[in-house]
Amino acid sequence: MAQVKVFYDHIGNTLTVWFGKPQSEYICEETGEEVILMKDKTGHVLGFEKLNFEVSKPEQLRVAFETITQ
C-alpha cells in the first residue's frame, strides 16, 4: 500500500506532502505559485511543498484523500 506523508510547519507556514520516498529527492523546482516540487533523479515528482500555508487552528488540521481508478 502506498503511503502519503503530510507535514504542517506552523512556524515556517509550510505544508509538505510526500507520496514518494523523501530520501530519493534529487532536485526541487519552484512552480512560481508558492509551490515547490520535489523530484527524483528521473524527474518524477515525489512530493510538494506549499509555502505561506496557514490555518487558524493547526491542532484541528484534517487531511482527506480520495483515490481514483481508471
Side-chain angles (χ1 to χ4, degrees):
M1 178 186 337
Q3 287 188 348
V4 175
K5 297 176 183 176
V6 180
F7 301 96
Y8 173 56
D9 178 356
H10 68 278
I11 296 172
N13 295 331
T14 60
L15 180 73
T16 306
V17 179
W18 290 98
F19 31 87
K21 294 180 183 177
Q23 311 88 298
S24 298
E25 179 183 348
Y26 181 73
I27 193 165
C28 294
E29 176 184 322
E30 291 187 54
T31 67
E33 297 176 7
E34 298 187 337
V35 174
I36 298 173
L37 302 177
M38 286 83 80
K39 298 180 177 183
D40 65 12
K41 286 185 178 185
T42 63
H44 289 96
V45 176
L46 302 170
F48 67 89
E49 184 170 66
K50 173 66 175 119
L51 306 176
N52 297 313
F53 182 87
E54 294 184 61
V55 292
S56 58
K57 296 181 180 181
E59 64 278 359
Q60 295 180 1
L61 177 64
R62 294 181 184 207
V63 178
F65 294 96
E66 179 179 339
T67 58
I68 300 174
T69 59
Q70 297 178 355

